[in-house]
Amino acid sequence: MNRIFKTVASSDISISQLMLPSHSNFSGKIHGGFVLSLLDQIAFACASKFSGNYCVTASVDTVNFLNPIEVGELVTMKASVNYVGSSSMIVGIKVEAENIRTAQIKHCNSSYFTMVAKDSDGNKAAVPGLILSNSNDLRRFLNCVKQIALKKEKDLHEEIFDYTSKEAINSLTKYNVKLEF
């Protein structure tokens, strides 16, 4: 079998959009839900470009809102495939907002989406291997490997943790909760 490999750079994609008043929430900042919609769109475009297939969102692994985005700012999202499995890819996305008047740029969001490639019948499709061309590509790939391991550990912990044990119930005293069942 002749396996295909592609560079991280071959997946690079960016989109820019001016933030309008219709994108804002009640406090006048850009609504997080609107940003999430844009993140999903660029994750789809990035994964589809890299894999050559239609892709679906399997999970939104991390969404860190770091700074608010203001109406009138130019938002640029930059995405790349950071990790590949057999049919899945982790897409990293960086969101920056530029004040058009001052040219000041701020980092507003970092996100990671797991996308799965699908063939024309809707079945999982194999994705190309990933060529890591520099230390930044390697760092991002290994960070994804660590995140996957942490996610598996968390899932395993949730499967075996007894939420009804006396120990679990007693541990709640340090929290601002009250049991009434």
Side-chain angles (χ1 to χ4, degrees):
M1 180 178 159
N2 221 358
R3 181 131 163 105
I4 296 171
F5 286 82
K6 291 184 176 182
T7 63
V8 171
S10 73
S11 74
D12 288 351
I13 191 166
S14 66
I15 59 171
S16 296
Q17 184 168 343
L18 183 65
M19 295 297 105
L20 303 174
S22 61
H23 304 140
S24 67
N25 59 23
F26 292 113
S27 67
K29 309 296 183 197
I30 300 306
H31 194 285
F34 179 72
V35 174
L36 282 169
S37 174
L38 293 175
L39 289 167
D40 194 47
Q41 289 175 41
I42 195 168
F44 167 82
C46 179
S48 296
K49 175 184 176 186
F50 181 80
S51 70
N53 286 294
Y54 178 81
C55 294
V56 296
T57 305
S59 66
V60 179
D61 304 313
T62 307
V63 178
N64 292 320
F65 291 98
L66 306 171
N67 288 296
I69 301 171
E70 307 290 336
V71 170
E73 289 183 326
L74 181 65
V75 168
T76 300
M77 297 186 173
K78 301 171 186 174
S80 64
V81 171
N82 292 346
Y83 172 90
V84 296
S86 55
S87 62
S88 65
M89 297 152 281
I90 297 177
V91 175
I93 309 163
K94 182 177 184 178
V95 179
E96 295 176 325
E98 180 179 358
N99 181 309
I100 293 173
R101 292 183 187 155
T102 67
Q104 182 180 7
I105 297 173
K106 61 184 173 186
H107 182 190
C108 297
N109 186 296
S110 288
S111 299
Y112 299 89
F113 282 54
T114 298
M115 308 298 288
V116 175
K118 299 287 188 168
D119 65 18
S120 57
D121 296 324
N123 300 310
K124 290 182 181 180
V127 298
L130 194 61
I131 298 171
L132 307 175
S133 304
N134 55 53
S135 60
N136 204 33
D137 292 351
L138 177 61
R139 177 185 59 80
R140 289 177 177 166
F141 182 86
L142 290 175
N143 280 338
C144 289
V145 169
K146 284 193 285 188
Q147 286 302 111
I148 291 166
L150 287 171
K151 190 175 180 183
K152 286 180 181 176
E153 185 179 316
K154 178 184 172 282
D155 290 346
L156 178 63
H157 173 76
E158 287 183 0
E159 284 179 22
I160 62 173
F161 184 72
D162 181 3
Y163 293 94
T164 61
S165 71
K166 188 173 185 171
E167 181 183 0
I169 300 297
N170 288 339
S171 73
L172 296 176
T173 59
K174 64 183 174 186
Y175 299 101
N176 188 22
V177 298
K178 181 177 168 182
L179 294 179
E180 292 188 347
F181 60 92

